[in-house]
């Protein structure tokens, strides 16, 4: 398995065996963090991560930067493109070419689909996609899978409901493709206007996955092992009226639990707006904060593998 110097652009570029290997390395990072044995605290000493965020972020940027710090590396970058020469008219392409000379690896988030791929074409250094428009968010998927593995022991044969904005939500696009390797049944629950786009649905069906589409969560809620809730992606709507029409369409609270299996687990990539009532936060079914925390060991694994500090 070759991870060294590899770009991480789409989850579809990774085989099941490779994904499982990343899970193993993440488990080891997790163990080491919890044991505070500092085994990897100098693993990336002397390496520099360029953290380029052309779009708002809390978890992705901070957990990548924390991961680099915990591995002894250093971080440069920006979280606000208006503080860069882009406001003077510098192109995205020139920005990438220049930063390529200042770092060993990039993590990048950008509002345009396939922008990470474009950066990878220009840069000699490996590029990790931290979210490209409505397309993909592959490292989110890796710690979503890690969270599933820790809670269910295996990722095989799960009934997974994806709820909310399946059109613009890139986390669902990546996660559904990765989970497709583990014989799932999928329930895509959304308003019709936010259904999973055909290009993703076709790919899943071609991969042999049993997929159902539904508008009413109550119709399928009792079958699910996992409910993966997502935010309506307000900033992606071209017409604000279309957003108003679906705003707040799903809001789950404690009453939902009586319709679900006790073993149901509720996930969410966060940030949440109003789709999960905070009264659910303490329920044993809710694992979204644990999920967010798993970003750290998984992103440590990603950086260490790509920079060749672990195999
Ligand atoms: C997600 C994203 O950026 O796609 N956030 C994250 O990284 N956890 C989800 C979202 O913004 O809704």
């Amino acid at each position: 398995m070759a991870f060294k110097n590899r770009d991480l652009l789409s989850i579809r570029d990774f085989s099941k065996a490779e994904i499982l290997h990343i899970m193993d390395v993440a488990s080891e990072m997790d163990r080491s963090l919890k044991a505070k044995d500092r085994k990897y605290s100098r693993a990336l000493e002397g390496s520099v991560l360029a953290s380029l965020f052309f779009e708002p972020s809390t978890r992705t940027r901070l957990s990548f930067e924390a991961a680099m710090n915990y591995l002894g590396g250093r971080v440069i970058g920006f979280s606000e493109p208006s503080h860069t020469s882009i406001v003077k008219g510098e192109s995205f392409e020139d920005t990438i070419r220049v930063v390529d000379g200042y770092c060993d690896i990039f993590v990048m988030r950008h509002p345009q689909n396939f922008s990470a791929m474009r950066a990878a074409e220009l840069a000699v250094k490996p590029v990790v996609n931290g979210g490209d428009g409505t397309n993909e968010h592959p490292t989110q998927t890796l710690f979503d899978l890690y969270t599933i593995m820790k809670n269910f022991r295996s990722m095989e044969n799960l009934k997974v409901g994806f709820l909310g904005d399946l059109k613009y939500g890139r986390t669902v696009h990546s996660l559904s493709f990765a989970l497709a390797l583990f014989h799932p049944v999928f329930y895509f629950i959304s308003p019709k206007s936010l259904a999973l786009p055909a290009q993703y649905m076709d790919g899943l069906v071609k991969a042999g996955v049993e997929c159902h589409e539904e508008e009413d969560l109550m119709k399928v809620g009792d079958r699910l092992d996992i409910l993966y809730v997502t935010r309506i992606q307000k900033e992606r709507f071209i017409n604000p009226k279309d957003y108003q029409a679906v705003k707040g369409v799903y809001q789950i609270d404690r009453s939902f639990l009586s319709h679900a299996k006790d073993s149901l687990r509720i996930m969410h990539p966060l940030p949440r707006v109003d789709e999960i009532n905070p009264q659910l936060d303490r329920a044993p079914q809710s694992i979204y904060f644990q999920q967010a925390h798993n970003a750290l060991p998984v992103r440590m694994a990603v950086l260490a593998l790509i920079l060749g500090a672990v195999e």
Side-chain angles (χ1 to χ4, degrees):
M1 254 175 260
F3 289 98
K4 198 171 172 188
N5 283 325
R6 189 158 161 193
D7 299 311
L8 204 173
L9 304 174
S10 165
I11 201 69
R12 295 192 235 182
D13 297 336
F14 290 79
S15 69
K16 184 168 176 174
E18 286 172 333
I19 288 174
L20 290 171
H21 183 66
I22 299 171
M23 302 291 106
D24 284 347
V25 176
S27 291
E28 168 59 10
M29 294 295 170
D30 210 351
R31 186 209 56 74
S32 169
L33 280 170
K34 288 188 177 123
K36 294 198 183 335
D37 63 14
R38 302 187 164 266
K39 190 169 163 196
Y40 300 95
S41 64
R42 303 179 80 168
L44 292 183
E45 200 169 45
S47 295
V48 175
L49 166 70
S51 166
L52 309 190
F53 280 75
F54 296 85
E55 248 194 3
S57 169
T58 300
R59 273 149 295 275
T60 306
R61 186 174 69 82
L62 293 178
S63 61
F64 261 113
E65 296 185 6
M68 195 63 183
N69 278 291
Y70 276 107
L71 292 167
R74 293 185 178 256
V75 182
I76 59 164
F78 55 82
S79 55
E80 180 44 84
S82 65
H83 295 167
T84 71
S85 287
I86 289 163
V87 288
K88 301 183 192 170
E90 187 161 46
S91 68
F92 169 76
E93 282 75 9
D94 285 1
T95 306
I96 298 299
R97 281 192 195 102
V98 169
V99 178
D100 199 28
Y102 303 157
C103 69
D104 298 294
I105 185 168
F106 288 85
V107 58
M108 196 189 89
R109 168 171 290 184
H110 194 281
Q112 255 165 19
N113 290 14
F114 308 109
S115 47
M117 218 172 270
R118 177 79 188 120
E121 283 164 6
L122 297 161
V124 173
K125 310 295 164 51
V127 175
V128 177
N129 181 3
D132 61 329
T134 63
N135 182 42
E136 279 217 42
H137 195 351
T139 62
Q140 172 77 44
T141 292
L142 291 171
F143 68 87
D144 291 346
L145 293 176
Y146 184 74
T147 304
I148 292 170
M149 203 189 67
K150 284 188 51 165
N151 281 271
F152 291 86
R153 285 172 198 274
S154 150
M155 293 179 271
E156 298 285 344
N157 303 312
L158 295 169
K159 293 192 166 61
V160 183
F162 295 98
L163 179 78
D165 187 344
L166 313 183
K167 179 178 181 188
Y168 297 121
R170 55 196 173 198
T171 61
V172 171
H173 303 160
S174 292
L175 180 58
S176 57
F177 270 103
L179 274 175
L181 301 167
F182 299 90
H183 315 100
V185 177
F186 287 154
Y187 297 88
F188 292 104
I189 311 149
S190 73
K192 282 215 162 59
S193 63
L194 297 179
L196 189 73
Q199 81 220 63
Y200 301 105
M201 184 62 94
D202 293 348
L204 293 170
V205 170
K206 240 187 228 155
V209 182
E210 184 182 325
C211 294
H212 303 271
E213 288 187 286
E214 186 53 68
E215 279 184 76
D216 183 358
L217 170 63
M218 290 309 165
K219 287 201 177 140
V220 295
D222 59 345
R223 299 184 212 168
L224 304 176
D225 298 308
I226 295 172
L227 179 63
Y228 192 93
V229 184
T230 64
R231 164 181 80 86
I232 310 290
Q233 307 273 304
K234 180 180 180 185
E235 70 278 22
R236 312 262 181 229
F237 284 74
I238 298 151
N239 184 344
K241 269 200 192 138
D242 295 339
Y243 170 69
Q244 288 303 327
V246 288
K247 183 181 168 213
V249 59
Y250 300 111
Q251 297 188 357
I252 62 167
D253 57 23
R254 233 186 330 240
S255 68
F256 171 67
L257 297 182
S258 58
H259 298 274
K261 295 199 269 192
D262 286 345
S263 58
L264 171 83
R265 290 294 174 265
I266 302 170
M267 299 177 69
H268 191 309
L270 305 178
R272 77 173 139 186
V273 184
D274 53 9
E275 56 281 353
I276 298 180
N277 189 311
Q279 65 178 213
L280 275 173
D281 292 356
R282 284 167 184 271
Q285 287 88 342
S286 300
I287 58 171
Y288 30 89
F289 288 112
Q290 181 197 124
Q291 180 187 353
H293 291 161
N294 286 335
L296 181 61
V298 173
R299 287 177 167 145
M300 285 171 73
V302 163
L303 292 171
L305 281 163
I306 297 177
L307 289 173
V310 296
E311 281 195 351

